[in-house]
Amino acid sequence: MAALLALASALCYGLVDFFGGILSRRAHFTVVTFLGQIGGLLLALVAALVVPAEAVRPADVLWGALSGVGSGTAMYFLNRGLTRGAMSVVIPLSAVTGVALSVLCGVFLLGDRPTVLAWLGIGVTVPALWLVSGGAALGRGEPGSRTVRSSADGLIASLGVAVQYIGLAQADPASGLWPVAAGRLAAVAALLPSALRHAPRFRRQPAKLQVQSLATGAGAALGLILYLEAAHRQLLAIAVVLASLYPAVPTVLGLTALHEKVTRKQTVGLVSAAVAVVALTLG
């Protein structure tokens, strides 16, 4: 069950990345990111009120808030990178580095002890994510300055991803979903200054795009809820790795919905990701 929850989280985040990337090409990334966090906050509040919580401690709220700052940062820089047309750079950098940082923290700071089979899955996941995203080589097909900026976006987003996953996993299960709600509120607060600077852009966006942005944020919040449940049922390292398989989703959607051609590297990456899922689930 824990593995299925983590994979469902990956599915949610993959869909959010796919549709969020499309929206970020139609509107300023600040608009898409901020409205997304608002949508996530609304869904998280409803879910927190519906799901019973035994006891919500201040520490749980603070861990959730820290996670929210991380996820808000990750989405901001990920969407900014996508507007620069550098998906093949930003996504692998944010996913692979975020996974590595989270696993290392879980093993060396939180005492995770994955099995040999789980380590095999973790080891396969990192190159698999890179290959699924196209095996991007920095500087390929991009001007030098754009490559540097895109790489910086991806690395900053990866730090946000790691903080998001590690922080949320520290909340006590007895706190229910209130850490997720606290995180969405913190993300909104963290992104508010940028939103105020670009206030005129919000008024120029059609209502349909604003609703779509709210929906992507709600999807991201659902992904976090599923991840939180998975992290409470298994090792952080395994939950993070399974949840971080989300780059496979926009790749598959690109092949099926947008009729893109799959490369040999992406085929190897998708097969490797499937092997990693099996190893992590059994491990």
Side-chain angles (χ1 to χ4, degrees), residues 64-213:
L66 177 63
S67 172
V69 172
S71 60
T73 300
M75 291 307 299
Y76 180 88
F77 286 98
L78 181 64
N79 285 337
R80 189 173 79 170
L82 293 176
T83 63
R84 294 171 171 172
M87 184 179 294
S88 63
V89 172
V90 177
I91 286 183
L93 274 177
S94 61
V96 174
T97 311
V99 167
L101 291 173
S102 300
V103 170
L104 289 174
C105 181
V107 171
F108 292 107
L109 298 181
L110 303 179
D112 281 359
R113 294 294 179 267
T115 64
V116 174
L117 191 57
W119 271 121
L120 174 63
I122 292 171
V124 171
T125 297
V126 173
L129 288 176
W130 189 268
L131 291 171
V132 163
S133 299
L138 298 183
R140 184 181 62 194
E142 291 187 86
S145 60
R146 175 176 291 186
T147 300
V148 173
R149 292 196 301 268
S150 301
S151 301
D153 284 337
L155 289 173
I156 296 173
S158 73
L159 292 174
V161 169
V163 170
Q164 166 188 275
Y165 283 143
I166 295 169
L168 194 58
Q170 306 314 303
D172 193 299
S175 62
L177 299 179
W178 286 107
V180 178
R184 297 312 87 214
L185 181 59
V188 169
L191 295 171
L192 184 59
S194 177
L196 292 175
R197 288 197 303 271
H198 296 91
R201 296 182 182 273
F202 285 81
R203 293 190 289 270
R204 293 199 294 266
Q205 301 306 321
K208 181 179 179 180
L209 188 142
Q210 295 187 34
V211 171
Q212 290 171 335
S213 298

Side-chain angles (χ1 to χ4, degrees), residues 211-269:
V211 171
Q212 290 171 335
S213 298
L214 290 169
T216 60
L222 177 59
L224 277 178
I225 290 171
L226 293 168
Y227 161 75
L228 179 61
E229 292 299 314
H232 286 160
R233 297 166 186 247
Q234 65 184 4
L235 296 179
L236 171 66
I238 296 177
V240 166
V241 171
L242 287 173
S244 296
L245 289 170
Y246 62 86
V249 177
T251 300
V252 172
L253 285 175
L255 297 174
T256 57
L258 303 181
H259 306 293
E260 296 176 350
K261 293 183 178 180
V262 63
T263 66
R264 185 176 300 176
K265 289 181 179 179
Q266 287 175 315
T267 301
V268 174

